[in-house]
Amino acid sequence: MKSSNGNGTIATRSDGPLSVQHVAFDANGNMPLSEQERQAMIEQLEHKFAEVMDILRIDRTSDPNSRETPRRLARMWVNELFIGRYTPPPPVTIFPNRREVNELIISKGIKVMSVCSHHWQPISGTCTIGYMPDKSIIGLSKLTRIVEWFSRRGQIQEEMGEQIADYLEELLRPRALGVIISAKHYCMIARGVEADHEHSDMVTSVMRGQLQHDANLRNEFLRLAIP
Ligand SMILES: [Zn+2]
């Protein structure tokens, strides 16, 4: 059985019941799992997190704050922080561009809550998406869902922007598309690599179609996108 991992490449898994421990794919890839498969994953993880805590010499029998932590961690990683790896893409309705809009449509301040693949620490920020439609337009709330689906994985900010742009390009075939992400990386903040909170934002931008080739349009987008 084959399934798209959401960034244009194909992941393959053998037929028959999925053995979660034997099928590996990129941290920011996607392969939907059933509810039962996710539940099995949580149970396996709970034991492993308990082992990790034992190695770290955290007393999880008498410390009331640590007693349920392996289960909490297992649920949080599978059902929240990495849920975009295990669920199909959000349902999206595409509408015809009946009025032949040929201006930029921009959605700002879309929440980005992700996890860095390198250190498994939060990446927190916002995404701005702008596009000039051709034949299709999309509801703005759907952009939020798409960004969430890609960000709830182990990510690298640069690749997340490219994944979102690839997905929207395929979905909408827009004349122009821009994806700007600005985010704080807690692996930097927590480790003291960048002590100054205010200046630890990373900004990435992806420009496609006319935004790549037309400097005036790109300037307009950047002026509207960046507060
Ligand atoms: Zn990191």
Side-chain angles (χ1 to χ4, degrees), residues 116-121 185-188 191:
C116 116
S117 285
H118 297 152
H119 303 93
W120 287 28
Q121 291 293 305
H185 289 240
Y186 282 79
C187 57
M188 303 274 279
R191 290 156 64 232

Side-chain angles (χ1 to χ4, degrees), residues 11 21 49 53 73 75-76 79 85 123 169 182 205 211:
Q21 60 273 58
F49 279 130
M53 290 178 72
L73 282 176
R75 285 199 182 127
M76 183 181 74
N79 290 336
R85 287 169 51 74
I123 298 171
E169 256 198 318
S182 172
S205 76
L211 273 172

Side-chain angles (χ1 to χ4, degrees), residues 4-222:
S4 167
N5 72 359
N7 62 0
T9 56
I10 297 292
T12 308
R13 70 187 195 200
S14 57
D15 287 324
L18 177 69
S19 172
V20 287
Q21 60 273 58
H22 293 127
V23 181
F25 54 105
D26 287 356
N28 61 6
N30 172 267
M31 196 184 292
L33 297 181
S34 69
E35 190 67 43
Q36 294 94 307
E37 286 168 326
R38 292 217 308 269
Q39 208 46 47
M41 201 180 238
I42 288 170
E43 269 148 42
Q44 285 181 329
L45 262 184
E46 182 181 351
H47 294 295
K48 295 297 179 188
F49 279 130
E51 279 181 46
V52 168
M53 290 178 72
D54 292 345
I55 293 165
L56 289 170
R57 302 191 191 188
I58 295 169
D59 185 344
R60 53 188 178 80
T61 49
S62 58
D63 175 358
N65 299 320
S66 303
R67 212 172 286 145
E68 296 294 324
T69 295
R71 183 133 197 96
R72 273 193 292 265
L73 282 176
R75 285 199 182 127
M76 183 181 74
W77 283 99
V78 174
N79 290 336
E80 289 163 317
L81 303 184
F82 282 172
I83 192 66
R85 287 169 51 74
Y86 312 123
T87 46
V92 170
T93 315
I94 302 297
F95 301 97
N97 181 16
R98 288 199 304 185
R99 309 301 288 264
E100 296 182 2
V101 174
N102 63 353
E103 297 289 338
L104 285 170
I105 299 170
I106 296 175
S107 179
K108 299 206 287 194
I110 301 168
K111 184 178 102 171
V112 171
M113 191 65 238
S114 189
V115 172
C116 116
S117 285
H118 297 152
H119 303 93
W120 287 28
Q121 291 293 305
I123 298 171
S124 166
T126 57
C127 177
T128 298
I129 295 173
Y131 73 104
M132 187 190 285
D134 184 19
K135 294 190 168 55
S136 308
I137 53 176
I138 184 176
L140 289 187
S141 67
K142 302 303 179 192
L143 295 177
T144 307
R145 296 255 173 265
I146 290 166
V147 170
E148 186 177 24
W149 186 59
F150 281 108
S151 59
R152 292 297 185 164
R153 309 175 184 192
Q155 274 293 5
I156 300 300
Q157 187 174 323
E158 297 88 332
E159 290 186 7
M160 179 166 33
E162 295 286 343
Q163 283 184 323
I164 293 166
D166 286 349
Y167 193 79
L168 290 173
E169 256 198 318
E170 203 171 312
L171 203 62
L172 300 173
R173 306 261 171 229
R175 294 178 201 197
L177 174 69
V179 178
I180 297 175
I181 298 172
S182 172
K184 288 187 192 305
H185 289 240
Y186 282 79
C187 57
M188 303 274 279
I189 296 165
R191 290 156 64 232
V193 178
E194 171 56 79
D196 185 351
H197 242 248
E198 295 308 307
H199 298 99
S200 58
D201 286 26
M202 177 175 176
V203 181
T204 50
S205 76
V206 181
M207 302 286 175
R208 301 279 173 85
Q210 286 180 29
L211 273 172
Q212 208 171 9
H213 308 296
D214 181 340
N216 287 335
L217 188 69
R218 190 165 58 242
N219 287 339
E220 185 192 337
F221 174 55
L222 292 173

